[in-house]
Amino acid sequence: MDTRLLPPIFPTVWASEWGEDKLGLYLDLDYQNVTQRFRWIVPGTFLMGSPKTELKRFDHEIQHAVTLTQGFWLAESACTQALWQVVLGDNPANFKDTSDHPIENVSWDDVQR
C-alpha cells in the first residue's frame, strides 16, 4: 500500500482495536461495550454519479470526477440503536427488534444533541 494513502497517525488514540482486512484499514471505537467500526477512506479520484447507460437514470445524475485531497475515517454503518442508547440514554426508535438496527425516528436536532 502506498504510505501516502495511510492515515497521518495510525492507530489513533481513540481506537480500541485496529487492523486491515480485505476491505482495507479499520478502527473500532468501543464505548460502554458498544462498538462502532470506522473505515479509512483513501485520498484519490473517483467517478460519482450514474453513467448514461444505467437503467432508470435521471437526467440530473451526471457522472463526474471527484477528488479527495485528504483521507478520512468514515463509520462503516449507520449509528445503531445500541450506540445511541449508551451515548444519549434513550432509544426513540419505532423498530426495536434488535439493538444492532440503525437508529430511526430522530430529528436533526436530536442528532445535534
Side-chain angles (χ1 to χ4, degrees):
M1 178 179 271
D2 185 342
T3 57
R4 292 173 298 160
L5 304 178
L6 294 174
I9 299 172
F10 183 74
T12 65
V13 296
W14 50 263
S16 54
E17 183 180 335
W18 59 274
E20 184 173 8
D21 59 17
K22 65 181 182 176
L23 300 176
L25 295 177
Y26 67 86
L27 291 175
D28 287 345
L29 169 65
D30 288 323
Y31 183 70
Q32 295 184 13
N33 297 317
V34 177
T35 302
Q36 175 69 61
R37 178 159 284 185
F38 291 81
R39 292 287 178 174
W40 178 249
I41 307 301
V42 298
T45 301
F46 64 95
L47 290 177
M48 179 183 282
S50 301
K52 289 184 179 183
T53 57
E54 185 174 296
L55 296 176
K56 299 184 180 182
R57 176 187 176 273
F58 294 106
D59 290 338
H60 69 277
E61 297 177 8
I62 299 167
Q63 196 168 49
H64 59 286
V66 173
T67 299
L68 300 174
T69 59
Q70 297 179 29
F72 59 95
W73 291 103
L74 179 67
E76 185 177 80
S77 66
C79 178
T80 64
Q81 293 177 30
L83 184 58
W84 186 276
Q85 177 79 42
V86 298
V87 172
L88 292 163
D90 65 346
N91 184 355
N94 285 323
F95 303 97
K96 297 180 182 179
D97 297 337
T98 174
S99 62
D100 288 342
H101 282 174
I103 191 68
E104 37 79 17
N105 198 35
V106 295
S107 70
W108 172 259
D109 291 332
D110 294 333
V111 173
Q112 299 312 301
R113 178 171 57 120

